[in-house]
Amino acid sequence: MKFGTKAIHAGVEPDPATGAIMTPIYQTSTYVQRSPGDHKGYEYSRTHNPTRTQLQNAVAALENGTHGLCFASGMAAIDTIIKLLAPGDEVISTNDLYGGSYRIFTKIFQNYGIKFHFTNMADLSKVEALVNENTKMIWVETPTNPLLNIIDIKGCAGIAKKHNLLLVADNTFATPYLQTPLDLGADIVMHSLTKYMGGHSDVVMGAVVVNDDGLRDRLAFIQNSCGGTPGPQDCFLVLRGIKTLHLRMERHCQNGRKVAEYLKSHPEVEKVYWPGFEDHPGHQVAKEQMRDFGGMVSFVLKGDKVEDATNVLENLKLFALAESLGGVESLCGHPATMTHASIPKEDRMKAGLSDSLIRLSVGVEDAEDLIADLEKAIG
């Protein structure tokens, strides 16, 4: 099936009890058994739920994967993946990373003896130079948040296979509409389904997709033991959201391009971060591993003054100043004080994330209205 057909049909079936075409919300915590241990595949909703099962099947199908697991949040998904490791293990990741990922790595799991290295993963030689006998995992985020750097997933997979490491790809920004990391050699793909996959800013959820049966069993055991599972109504909302993922992503990409090109030509804008530009250092890799370049755009004003950035953020009207991204509505944010506030300033500055950087999640409104909103706020 083509992607749009998969988004609507793959992984889901009409309800066997009623024929309902939309997956019902199975709002139940437990299931009646015919005899001890003799049940219909469901015992307790922390372990399994029919609504969640359908969503997991759908997400796995979109990622060209075999097994999907859904979580109460993207952070719960990350938490479960890192729990595959043990004290003394080491992880290599990018120095331009979502602040929540950085926080759980350095403030939680580092306390339990897991070591994390952050480097510029656009240069694969720097990645391989950090590999040692304790390295167990490479964690890729591409495009990165918020500088939209591009990491070569296939290149990282080569390093991972060479050294027998797990390769994890955070595919939140791209979604499976733009790239499928399992096809490029990743072992685990994770998502914050809160973002583009849900698409309507009304649910918080995460997901993991794998091909390996044993890896799926290990992750499912951790999830069931630790309890990071979503509720059925949230699963229903994401199931509804992904049915229009292909349509929304087409518009996000179209609008993202128009907004990025407008900002690049603006006399008050110093730099625009968007991988669709030919002069973007990761443009060629992005062309090879992505269908399009997405709807996320970041930029810095000339003078690089925090007060100027604040003034723009306060005066935008259609771009709402709020956390998160990937909804149908356009959002703007200030990473230094919002999504990436947990990263020390010196580390942010080294990675190129200045205090005046503005991040835009370009929605599916009319692009002309979004550009007019930016014109008024910047002008």
Side-chain angles (χ1 to χ4, degrees):
M1 289 185 285
K2 300 293 186 181
F3 189 90
T5 308
K6 284 205 296 185
I8 294 169
H9 295 287
V12 297
E13 299 289 342
D15 177 47
T18 65
I21 195 166
M22 299 304 295
T23 304
I25 301 170
Y26 284 88
Q27 194 71 52
T28 184
S29 61
T30 193
Y31 307 82
V32 174
Q33 303 187 20
R34 291 178 290 259
S35 181
D38 181 9
H39 51 77
K40 299 179 181 180
Y42 297 92
E43 302 168 82
Y44 188 59
S45 278
R46 172 165 39 79
T47 310
H48 299 291
N49 177 281
T51 313
R52 190 166 92 232
T53 297
Q54 296 272 289
L55 175 59
Q56 290 174 162
N57 292 342
V59 173
L62 292 180
E63 281 288 0
N64 296 334
T66 306
H67 306 290
L69 292 169
C70 288
F71 295 81
S73 67
M75 296 311 305
I78 294 172
D79 176 76
T80 299
I81 294 169
I82 300 300
K83 284 175 178 171
L84 292 168
L85 305 176
D89 290 346
E90 298 187 12
V91 180
I92 301 169
S93 189
T94 177
N95 62 350
D96 173 21
L97 184 71
Y98 167 54
S101 302
Y102 180 91
R103 180 176 58 228
I104 198 171
F105 290 170
T106 60
K107 303 297 184 183
I108 304 298
F109 283 106
Q110 207 152 267
N111 295 334
Y112 293 93
I114 299 173
K115 187 174 181 179
F116 296 86
H117 301 275
F118 302 98
T119 189
N120 178 8
M121 295 183 75
D123 183 349
L124 293 183
S125 66
K126 292 184 177 181
V127 177
E128 187 148 28
L130 289 169
V131 176
N132 62 65
E133 62 182 10
N134 296 319
T135 308
K136 297 295 187 293
M137 181 180 288
I138 298 174
W139 188 283
V140 170
E141 179 183 286
T142 182
T144 61
N145 182 3
L147 295 176
L148 287 307
N149 287 317
I150 300 297
I151 298 169
D152 184 347
I153 299 173
K154 188 178 291 186
C156 287
I159 296 172
K161 298 298 184 288
K162 176 181 176 181
H163 298 281
N164 195 29
L165 312 175
L166 282 174
L167 176 61
V168 184
D170 182 338
N171 205 26
T172 299
F173 268 29
T175 81
Y177 177 80
L178 295 182
Q179 67 186 14
T180 46
L182 293 177
D183 294 335
L184 298 171
D187 299 293
I188 301 173
V189 176
M190 67 80 47
H191 285 274
S192 171
L193 297 180
T194 309
K195 313 304 192 297
Y196 286 108
M197 297 283 273
H200 294 79
S201 302
D202 55 7
V203 65
V204 173
M205 195 185 298
V208 169
V209 181
V210 299
N211 281 324
D212 183 80
D213 296 348
L215 192 53
R216 182 267 171 200
D217 291 345
R218 291 170 64 196
L219 289 164
F221 176 82
I222 296 169
Q223 178 189 42
N224 188 50
S225 300
C226 298
T229 52
Q233 182 159 344
D234 287 348
C235 292
F236 174 87
L237 289 171
V238 178
L239 272 168
R240 183 190 65 175
I242 63 176
K243 291 183 184 299
T244 59
L245 177 63
H246 57 302
L247 302 175
R248 290 184 285 105
M249 289 305 296
E250 286 176 8
R251 185 60 171 261
H252 284 300
C253 291
Q254 291 169 7
N255 283 357
R257 176 180 293 276
K258 291 176 181 178
V259 167
E261 290 175 346
Y262 162 76
L263 289 170
K264 192 171 187 179
S265 67
H266 199 290
E268 296 300 322
V269 174
E270 179 68 33
K271 186 171 184 179
V272 182
Y273 299 87
W274 184 66
F277 292 134
E278 290 188 1
D279 59 357
H280 185 287
H283 177 72
Q284 190 58 41
V285 175
K287 280 182 64 177
E288 293 171 1
Q289 71 184 23
M290 298 174 70
R291 183 198 295 251
D292 206 331
F293 303 106
M296 298 300 299
V297 180
S298 295
F299 69 100
V300 177
L301 297 168
K302 285 186 176 175
D304 200 18
K305 296 180 181 178
V306 177
E307 53 268 31
D308 292 340
T310 300
N311 186 60
V312 170
L313 291 165
E314 290 177 348
N315 283 283
L316 285 166
K317 303 301 181 186
L318 289 179
F319 284 90
L321 180 58
E323 299 271 2
S324 199
L325 58 103
V328 291
E329 66 290 312
S330 293
L331 300 177
C332 60
H334 184 236
T337 59
M338 296 169 71
T339 55
H340 292 66
S342 59
I343 300 178
K345 182 174 181 176
E346 57 271 22
D347 292 337
R348 283 193 288 104
M349 299 302 283
K350 286 178 185 177
L353 203 171
S354 71
D355 282 344
S356 61
L357 184 85
I358 294 173
R359 189 191 75 179
L360 302 178
S361 174
V362 183
V364 300
E365 304 95 337
D366 286 304
E368 292 77 10
D369 292 328
L370 297 177
I371 290 171
D373 191 35
L374 287 162
E375 178 65 30
K376 288 179 183 178
I378 299 173

